[in-house]
Amino acid sequence: MSEEDASWVPRLREILRARLTPWNCPEVLCNAEVLLTELVTNALQHASAPTVDVCIQHKGDRLRIAVDDHSTRGPLPRPKGPYEEHGRGLVLVDVLADAWGISEDRTTTWCILCLPEGLPEMSTGPAPVRNETLIQIPSDSSGLRLARIHSWTAFTALDWPGDHHAAFGVLHSLVSNALRHGVTPAWPSPELAIWVRVTEAHELIIDVKDPNPDFPEFEKNVVGELGRGLWVARRSGAAVSWSPDPHEGGKTVRAVMQPGEVIL
């Protein structure tokens, strides 16, 4: 397992922690972190494909963690001596999980934790914000150039561990869309607001606010049937959404990007 692969284990723990912390159940959180760590570490050590897929689901009174390493060999727990340092992963899974198993095709190892009653649904939105910065640009032809300049500084200053080139392209797409369609004679504005945020789970959130409260046929724009800007953002790895602002008017177009290899 390379250092780059190993770096994903603490990142995934942080994402899980951000999702489960609102439950205020330290024992569940601790056990879930250990189970996630052991399953992901085992998969990274034995994967036969360039990617490992992780799925965490909360259904009713159960939390299910599944890791697919695309290997058909399937892991097996092995009893270890008291002084051996490795090979304890699935032994811990067997002790901590209420159930665990391997898929029929032997590519996915899963485990289940039974949860106390009354827990709300697991958070699926971005984790709490750790750092943020506001970029304000004029809503004329100079705005896109200024957005380019300030975005590089923002990604670096906020210490986002991800592909800055891809993030720059996503921000460029959102700002271009806002200048082209969000600022019109019917919805004038002297400037646009761009919020760049990094969450505790190292997600990057780019919010571009414009004065136009409507976004007709948004889905067709995202998949490239109408225009290419938001499609490019999606192809760059961003989850794109939009929402009207019922208080201040206008709308916000949001792109959320996950952490990864830092490319400056």
Side-chain angles (χ1 to χ4, degrees):
M1 179 170 55
S2 68
E3 290 185 8
E4 181 180 350
D5 288 341
S7 69
W8 274 103
V9 177
R11 291 181 191 175
L12 289 168
R13 280 201 302 266
E14 289 184 8
I15 293 172
L16 177 70
R17 192 179 304 121
R19 298 292 188 265
L20 301 191
T21 295
W23 284 353
N24 194 27
C25 291
E27 183 178 354
V28 170
L29 175 58
C30 180
N31 288 344
E33 284 187 320
V34 173
L35 292 170
L36 177 68
T37 298
E38 298 303 335
L39 292 186
V40 172
T41 300
N42 187 78
L44 291 172
Q45 289 174 338
H46 303 291
S48 59
T51 60
V52 169
D53 299 324
V54 180
C55 179
I56 303 171
Q57 294 176 307
H58 173 211
K59 291 186 177 181
D61 62 351
R62 294 188 171 195
L63 183 72
R64 183 178 188 270
I65 302 172
V67 180
D68 183 352
D69 65 4
H70 305 281
S71 171
T72 59
R73 290 175 297 178
L76 290 173
R78 295 176 297 167
K80 305 300 293 183
Y83 302 107
E84 295 188 60
E85 297 181 0
H86 304 289
R88 298 180 182 274
L90 292 183
V91 175
L92 283 174
V93 171
D94 191 51
V95 171
L96 295 177
D98 292 290
W100 76 277
I102 302 169
S103 61
E104 290 186 4
D105 63 4
R106 304 191 67 78
T107 62
T108 302
T109 306
W110 56 268
C111 67
I112 289 175
L113 275 177
C114 292
L115 305 174
E117 294 183 0
L119 292 179
E121 289 297 315
M122 183 176 66
S123 170
T124 57
V129 172
R130 184 184 63 184
N131 294 314
E132 64 182 11
T133 187
L134 171 65
I135 302 172
Q136 292 181 299
I137 60 171
S139 59
D140 56 31
S141 58
S142 67
L144 191 58
R145 178 178 61 84
L146 291 173
R148 291 171 181 165
I149 294 172
H150 292 302
S151 63
W152 281 108
T153 304
F155 299 147
T156 303
L158 295 177
D159 194 27
W160 179 57
D163 186 341
H164 291 197
H165 290 283
F168 173 80
V170 170
L171 184 143
H172 180 274
S173 297
L174 267 59
V175 172
S176 295
N177 178 79
L179 291 173
R180 186 176 297 112
H181 304 293
V183 181
T184 68
W187 304 101
S189 176
E191 60 184 15
L192 297 178
I194 307 167
W195 280 99
V196 182
R197 300 178 171 96
V198 175
T199 72
E200 292 180 359
H202 301 304
E203 300 155 309
L204 177 70
I205 303 175
I206 302 172
D207 285 335
V208 178
K209 180 175 174 56
D210 66 59
N212 187 345
D214 300 317
F215 202 139
E217 300 187 290
F218 169 78
E219 295 298 334
K220 289 186 178 181
N221 280 269
V222 171
V223 299
E225 293 182 14
L226 293 175
R228 308 289 282 182
L230 297 187
W231 176 81
V232 170
R234 185 182 177 212
R235 286 291 301 271
S236 298
V240 184
S241 61
W242 80 282
S243 60
D245 189 332
H247 302 292
E248 298 181 7
K251 69 174 178 294
T252 297
V253 180
R254 165 171 289 188
V256 180
M257 302 185 69
Q258 300 301 319
E261 182 180 1
V262 179
I263 303 178
L264 303 176

